[in-house]
Amino acid sequence: LAHIEGTELLNDDNPVVCLRQDGAWVYGSPWSGKTPCYINKGVRLGAIVDLSQAPYNKIRSIEGIEAYVALLPSISGMRWNKSVADGLHQTENELAKNVGMYHLDCLPDEAAAKICCETVAAKFESANKCAENKRIESLSANKCAEFADSNKCADSNNCAGV
């Protein structure tokens, strides 16, 4: 994080991930690892990156069962309790389907941090632009329907002046 401006560590071991209607969010938690890091803050989750040590830096997108399997060892919970295990499975499934997932083979260096940040930021910004365009299309469709209603148009998909 020292190499990426504007970033901070929320938690070094067990952050909490929450699925909300506006996307996945990550929060600091009171369960920390070697660094006493317990930041009571949440941010939108851009992606989940699985790391492996390597003599080079290479990042690739992962999907489907590979993404699901990459999540399993990272999520803690009482899997012996059926209701908890079912909830964890649902959450893991939703994360694997709806959050950008990557595998980064890397050296412990600045270049690894930057390639990860650049890849995730590009995907996250693209997804946000897509969501914004869909929101604008939805607003335009609503405006068109309002215009059609107020002007007695027969077809709200073909109205002018909006």
Side-chain angles (χ1 to χ4, degrees), residues 17 19 68 71-72 74-96:
V17 175
L19 296 173
Y68 181 88
L71 282 170
L72 285 176
S74 301
I75 298 177
S76 57
M78 300 178 297
R79 293 187 187 273
W80 61 88
N81 179 310
K82 183 172 175 12
S83 63
V84 172
D86 289 347
L88 288 172
H89 168 71
Q90 267 187 320
T91 301
E92 291 158 355
N93 207 24
E94 288 300 312
L95 287 171

Side-chain angles (χ1 to χ4, degrees), residues 23-79:
W25 284 69
V26 63
Y27 299 88
S29 78
W31 302 281
S32 187
K34 294 175 185 156
T35 309
C37 182
Y38 316 95
I39 306 299
N40 185 16
K41 189 176 189 179
V43 295
R44 184 94 186 266
L45 181 61
I48 296 173
V49 182
D50 186 39
L51 304 175
S52 292
Q53 292 181 358
Y56 53 86
N57 294 320
K58 181 180 176 184
I59 191 166
R60 65 182 176 83
S61 179
I62 58 176
E63 300 177 339
I65 193 73
E66 185 181 13
Y68 181 88
V69 169
L71 282 170
L72 285 176
S74 301
I75 298 177
S76 57
M78 300 178 297
R79 293 187 187 273

Side-chain angles (χ1 to χ4, degrees), residues 66-141:
E66 185 181 13
Y68 181 88
V69 169
L71 282 170
L72 285 176
S74 301
I75 298 177
S76 57
M78 300 178 297
R79 293 187 187 273
W80 61 88
N81 179 310
K82 183 172 175 12
S83 63
V84 172
D86 289 347
L88 288 172
H89 168 71
Q90 267 187 320
T91 301
E92 291 158 355
N93 207 24
E94 288 300 312
L95 287 171
K97 285 191 315 187
N98 299 312
V99 174
M101 298 282 299
Y102 297 90
H103 182 83
L104 175 62
D105 292 310
C106 62
L107 295 161
D109 64 7
E110 180 177 353
K114 288 191 173 178
I115 192 173
C116 183
C117 180
E118 290 164 4
T119 302
V120 170
K123 180 78 172 183
F124 194 65
E125 288 170 15
S126 175
N128 282 343
K129 283 180 185 172
C130 182
E132 179 63 17
N133 287 342
K134 285 182 181 175
R135 188 185 72 76
I136 290 169
E137 288 170 12
S138 174
L139 288 175
S140 295

